[in-house]
Amino acid sequence: MDAIARRLLFRIGTVGFCLNLSELIEVREQVTGLIDYRHVDPLFSVIGALPFRRTMIPVVDLAGRLGIPSVSPDVVLVLSSREGNWGLLIDRVEGFYSATAMNDRPVPRLLQAEGWRCFNQITLHAGVPFLRLDLSACYAGVGG
């Protein structure tokens, strides 16, 4: 099975999220001591920078931006974008699963807030909902 047909499920606090495996470069664990917290950009929810392959990449804290209580964020998903590599701070990885085992649904109107939104669908896996991330909005989106 190729990487495009698989997805990564993970959690920030109690909220589940989903992304295509093709968007993931690497999972870095135990990163708290590695993040340089002097490189902050509140406009993009960047809490610091992480050394990655001889460079520093921004680390985004989606929990803070969405107001989700995070449990123990010590994992960074290294992701790619048009702007370059960046990291997403998360609590834990749930696993890697086939996209065919998931059921995508539109976001209910109740969850469609005005302004910035970092997810574009809800994915059901074994009956459990996961917000499917729009990574370009997560990193390049402006406050809302």
Side-chain angles (χ1 to χ4, degrees):
M1 184 174 296
D2 62 49
I4 295 173
R6 295 180 60 82
R7 294 185 185 162
L8 169 68
L9 301 180
F10 62 94
R11 293 213 176 263
I12 299 175
T14 60
V15 180
F17 293 91
C18 170
L19 60 86
N20 290 329
L21 197 55
S22 62
E23 299 169 310
L24 178 70
I25 296 173
E26 185 174 307
V27 176
R28 301 277 308 267
E29 296 177 317
Q30 300 176 347
V31 296
T32 303
L34 301 175
I35 296 174
D36 183 345
Y37 294 97
R38 296 174 296 175
H39 300 275
V40 176
D41 185 349
L43 179 63
F44 295 106
S45 301
V46 173
I47 59 158
L50 179 72
F52 180 71
R53 298 183 183 168
R54 292 186 241 151
T55 189
M56 299 296 278
I57 61 170
V59 176
V60 172
D61 176 23
L62 214 50
R65 187 153 192 191
L66 295 175
I68 300 170
S70 189
V71 179
S72 57
D74 197 24
V75 178
V76 167
L77 303 178
V78 179
L79 306 165
S80 62
S81 73
R82 289 184 302 253
E83 293 81 19
N85 296 336
W86 60 284
L88 179 62
L89 188 64
I90 68 167
D91 287 319
R92 74 178 188 279
V93 170
E94 292 269 312
F96 302 91
Y97 300 94
S98 169
T100 59
M102 299 178 189
N103 193 350
D104 295 332
R105 297 280 189 227
V107 176
R109 293 181 65 92
L110 180 64
L111 297 177
Q112 293 179 9
E114 291 294 320
W116 180 82
R117 185 175 66 220
C118 67
F119 51 91
N120 54 16
Q121 286 183 324
I122 292 183
T123 295
L124 297 174
H125 180 260
V128 178
F130 292 85
L131 299 174
R132 186 142 177 232
L133 288 179
D134 175 355
L135 292 181
S136 62
C138 292
Y139 180 56
V142 289

